[in-house]
Amino acid sequence: MNVPFPATLPRDAATEAGGVPLGDLPEWNLDDLYTAQDAPELKRDLDWLEEACASFATDYEGKLADLDASALLDCVRRYEKIDLIAGRIMSFAGLRYYQHTTDAERAKFMSDMQDKITTFTTPLVFFSLEFNRIPDERYDALMAENAELARYKPVFDRMRAMKPYQLSDELEKFLHDQSVVGSSAWNKLFDETIAGLSFEVEGETFGIEATLNLLSEQDRAKREAGARALAETFQSRLPLFARVHNTLAKEKEIEDRWRGLPTPQTGRHLVNHVEPEVVEALRNAVVNAYPRLSHRYYKLKAKWLGLDTLQVWDRNAPLPMEETRIVGWDEARKLVSDAYAGFDPRMAELAEPFFTDGWIDAGVKEGKAPGAFAHPTVVDVHPYVMLNYLGKPRDVMTLAHELGHGVHQRLAAGQGELLSSTPLTLAETASVFGEMLTFRKMLSEAKDPQQKKVMLAGKVEDMINTVVRQIAFYDFECKLHQARRGGELTPDDINALWMSVQAESLGPVFEFMDGYETFWAYIPHFVHSPFYVYAYAFGDGLVNALYAVYEEGTPGFEEKYFEMLKAGGSKHHKELLAPFGLNASDPAFWDKGLSMIEGFIDELEAME
């Protein structure tokens, strides 16, 4: 079932960043889902869902193998409608909850909806299990018999990829039922803990988002104070964070062992519909490029900052020549909209309702989940974007990124509920492409070489954070899950695993303050979606290669690009990239993407 990503809150008439007005920041209007938690439409849908799940099981359990193609198509369409209604309910509950994760009423509503939908949908567990028991010859014949049924084949193929790893019907139902007090409960504990943290910085108290924001302040003393406050608070809650990671990693290991999954990463690769060797090629290409990318760039940055060594609070520091400038909301909106329109007017048109119709929640608020995301909700509504907008140039890039997701999700909605969802490896395509369009537009408008240098450096840092940092995260997760198989991990054990990848990825120019070893504690992807992080590097490398094709002036690129986004999850990455002459299975593909980052660093060195 469709479950939302983390999400936001109400706005002030004029929200400020450090005393500087940002303008009138938008907030969500969730009425397109439901008008309130006691809305009659919500009760109607819950009642419908309970009955629909029960009747679906009555009509089809034990009978899938005997259905002809036409009857199976009816079955799949009924399943899709159930998925849509359940997704609508959980989207509403999830988005309200992430607006204010420390609000007890919202947390209760979210839990109640999770419990109800888990209970209602437990009778559906048989569907994938029985479908996977249909013999291959019979399956192929059904697909050949009915074109409308065959349209769902990508969904079925992904489902059948789990065939060797599925358990008995009783165990699968137990795991489904038990999830509300298993991983999802630990996820919620993590979210509420993070949202409730406070950080003391020079006599003031901040939430996590504002404290992390201090790490990109111009004043080095402020950056250091922010980093030390983060370390102090993380250290004080480290046993809890270690318990969350130990429990989730052990739970995953138990389920993987029962299923016979060969590695902790296998489940993620299957969901992403990507071959393990493709991920390994990506990982190896990035790790081999560390010296040419992050090590080389950060050595340059140390020189610009007038330092022999960098501390962790210097990693995202602005350059000395960089203007300390806050970008108001209206300016950010215009920058991104113009960049999208410059590529194709349809892109800007698809993005416009996010600004005008309450599809974005931008303000930083107490209890609001940190970070940013675009949640697709369901295909008969629209996506919602969450930001924590503070007016930094990087926040403009985040807006461009999340709007790219939103545009992608709107275009893919035409595939229907089951086929619209894009594997994570491809889900970052439009978001990173949207960032690149916005960056190129801003770069073309740079007033002088110094401003161009600042912008190039910022882009390189963003790409390093997306590629190098995420692959380092992936390696950390691989080590963490492997180590947990040997027994309980102490906080010090996890700290040591974190530092082993940080030093390797960031390079010899860095020193690491006491306390930085705890910074694994706040990364939500490790908790919510193990091994998700390589999708960012996959997406960035893919888009860099794609953008190179665009810059070459390939005829019909825009139309091919829109067709790729409209495909949603209906095609494998090989099919989607073939019209552009690209193949992610070719190790040279990743070098092509990484060479774009290298080229930017070459430009920066040439400016010295």
Side-chain angles (χ1 to χ4, degrees):
M1 294 300 166
N2 198 359
V3 179
F5 273 62
T8 111
L9 256 202
R11 76 180 168 198
D12 300 325
T15 309
E16 298 190 351
V20 180
L22 294 174
D24 207 17
L25 295 181
E27 63 179 1
W28 281 336
N29 177 356
L30 299 179
D31 288 356
D32 290 340
L33 292 165
Y34 299 101
T35 54
Q37 70 176 57
D38 58 355
E41 295 83 2
L42 177 58
K43 182 182 186 310
R44 175 202 67 201
D45 284 354
L46 282 166
D47 291 345
W48 180 89
L49 187 66
E50 183 175 21
E51 193 282 327
C53 291
S55 62
F56 184 91
T58 299
D59 293 346
Y60 294 114
E61 188 166 12
K63 305 166 188 172
L64 279 190
D66 299 324
L67 298 180
D68 62 22
S70 177
L72 185 56
L73 177 61
D74 289 340
C75 169
V76 171
R77 284 174 171 163
R78 283 176 63 179
Y79 186 91
E80 186 168 39
K81 177 72 182 295
I82 289 170
D83 199 51
L84 183 121
I85 297 299
R88 178 189 283 262
I89 294 167
M90 283 312 303
S91 291
F92 179 68
L95 294 175
R96 279 187 83 251
Y97 168 69
Y98 284 113
Q99 282 184 307
H100 201 172
T101 61
T102 53
D103 182 288
E105 176 272 324
R106 293 180 186 227
K108 172 179 164 48
F109 179 68
M110 169 80 158
S111 289
D112 288 349
M113 292 303 100
Q114 278 184 324
D115 288 350
K116 282 180 184 292
I117 286 178
T118 300
T119 300
F120 294 166
T121 57
T122 295
L124 305 185
V125 171
F126 80 89
F127 178 75
S128 61
L129 304 177
E130 281 193 32
F131 195 97
N132 285 352
R133 287 199 287 266
I134 296 172
D136 289 345
E137 315 77 53
R138 172 73 177 148
Y139 171 67
D140 292 340
L142 287 165
M143 294 304 107
E145 189 179 326
N146 188 304
E148 272 299 295
L149 181 64
R151 197 176 76 80
Y152 291 95
K153 191 172 185 296
V155 178
F156 301 149
D157 286 348
R158 283 196 284 275
M159 198 160 66
R160 287 171 76 84
M162 285 299 295
K163 185 176 178 178
Y165 311 113
Q166 69 185 36
L167 303 171
S168 70
D169 293 13
E170 291 77 14
L171 272 175
E172 292 288 359
K173 286 178 180 177
F174 167 76
L175 288 173
H176 179 82
D177 241 358
Q178 182 259 358
S179 65
V180 292
V181 291
S183 58
S184 65
W186 288 98
N187 277 212
K188 205 162 71 152
L189 173 64
F190 172 83
D191 291 336
E192 291 170 359
T193 302
I194 288 289
L197 292 179
S198 59
F199 303 84
E200 298 295 323
V201 184
E202 298 176 344
E204 290 189 74
T205 302
F206 297 95
I208 189 167
E209 198 68 36
T211 311
L212 288 167
N213 191 56
L214 292 174
L215 300 183
S216 56
E217 283 284 341
Q218 188 71 256
D219 184 340
R220 193 174 192 230
K222 282 187 179 177
R223 297 198 304 271
E224 179 178 355
R228 295 199 182 281
L230 288 164
E232 184 179 349
T233 299
F234 293 155
Q235 183 63 48
S236 71
R237 306 305 296 273
L238 210 57
L240 186 148
F241 290 125
R243 171 60 48 226
V244 170
H245 282 70
N246 267 292
T247 303
L248 288 172
K250 183 61 179 178
E251 181 187 60
K252 187 177 190 313
E253 184 272 325
I254 292 168
E255 185 171 334
D256 285 354
R257 175 159 37 88
W258 275 75
R259 291 190 182 284
L261 289 161
T263 73
Q265 302 91 328
T266 300
R268 176 63 59 198
H269 300 336
L270 289 169
V271 169
N272 284 345
H273 207 204
V274 64
E275 301 76 13
E277 58 271 21
V278 172
V279 179
E280 190 65 14
L282 163 64
R283 182 262 170 201
N284 291 342
V286 174
V287 171
N288 290 338
Y290 284 170
R292 306 195 308 275
L293 302 179
S294 48
H295 297 189
R296 185 160 66 115
Y297 173 75
Y298 288 126
K299 186 177 177 183
L300 260 183
K301 184 164 188 174
K303 180 181 174 185
W304 295 331
L305 294 174
L307 300 168
D308 293 326
T309 56
L310 295 179
Q311 271 292 350
V312 292
W313 55 78
D314 299 316
R315 186 172 61 83
N316 286 328
L319 302 187
M321 70 288 286
E322 190 170 330
E323 297 174 23
T324 304
R325 187 170 89 83
I326 296 297
V327 183
W329 180 254
D330 289 344
E331 183 184 354
R333 172 181 173 174
K334 186 175 188 310
L335 277 168
V336 177
S337 297
D338 288 353
Y340 276 27
F343 171 72
D344 192 298
R346 289 174 291 176
M347 284 269 284
E349 289 166 15
L350 286 160
E352 184 65 12
F354 286 89
F355 294 106
T356 58
D357 294 359
W359 299 4
I360 299 178
D361 198 307
V364 177
K365 301 290 176 179
E366 182 183 352
K368 179 177 175 178
F373 69 87
H375 175 54
T377 73
V378 287
V379 296
D380 63 352
V381 186
H382 55 76
Y384 283 90
V385 163
M386 189 200 82
L387 306 171
N388 277 275
Y389 190 82
L390 289 162
K392 301 261 182 173
R394 275 195 175 92
D395 292 339
V396 180
M397 289 295 126
T398 301
L399 172 61
H401 181 101
E402 300 306 340
L403 275 181
H405 278 307
V407 166
H408 194 174
Q409 290 158 358
R410 290 196 71 194
L411 288 168
Q415 294 290 341
E417 192 64 24
L418 293 181
L419 283 163
S420 63
S421 182
T422 309
L424 292 176
T425 42
L426 296 168
E428 295 301 323
T429 305
S431 54
V432 179
F433 197 84
E435 271 192 84
M436 184 64 79
L437 290 171
T438 304
F439 167 70
R440 290 291 191 179
K441 176 166 177 56
M442 293 170 73
L443 190 68
S444 71
E445 296 173 357
K447 297 192 296 279
D448 52 52
Q450 186 159 288
Q451 190 181 49
K452 183 179 180 182
K453 179 179 181 178
V454 167
M455 291 181 68
L456 272 173
K459 185 60 180 171
V460 168
E461 290 195 16
D462 287 345
M463 294 170 99
I464 285 173
N465 284 337
T466 304
V467 177
V468 170
R469 184 166 165 81
Q470 301 304 324
I471 289 300
F473 283 178
Y474 176 66
D475 277 356
F476 165 72
E477 285 191 276
C478 291
K479 291 183 176 187
L480 175 77
H481 284 263
Q482 186 58 44
R484 182 63 182 90
R485 292 185 171 203
E488 178 89 4
L489 301 175
T490 67
D492 285 345
D493 292 335
I494 304 176
N495 291 348
L497 295 176
W498 173 256
M499 292 309 298
S500 72
V501 301
Q502 292 301 302
E504 179 189 23
S505 62
L506 293 174
V509 76
F510 272 91
E511 288 181 347
F512 297 97
M513 69 168 191
D514 288 343
Y516 180 66
E517 66 276 6
T518 66
F519 275 44
W520 53 268
Y522 78 96
I523 310 296
H525 296 94
F526 300 157
V527 174
H528 290 292
S529 307
F531 307 107
Y532 178 111
V533 289
Y534 75 73
Y536 288 113
F538 194 111
D540 197 272
L542 186 154
V543 168
N544 289 344
L546 199 62
Y547 202 88
V549 174
Y550 170 56
E551 284 191 316
E552 289 162 7
T554 303
F557 180 92
E558 290 84 354
E559 209 53 52
K560 291 176 184 175
Y561 180 75
F562 274 94
E563 288 304 311
M564 178 174 69
L565 300 190
K566 286 176 185 176
S570 67
K571 293 182 179 179
H572 188 269
H573 62 79
K574 286 183 180 177
E575 293 178 84
L576 290 173
L577 292 173
F580 303 96
L582 299 171
N583 179 8
S585 300
D586 180 357
F589 171 86
W590 300 113
D591 290 328
K592 184 182 181 75
L594 295 171
S595 68
M596 180 175 282
I597 310 176
E598 228 176 323
F600 286 157
I601 300 173
D602 291 342
E603 281 190 65
L604 286 168
E605 285 185 336
M607 291 179 177
E608 289 300 293

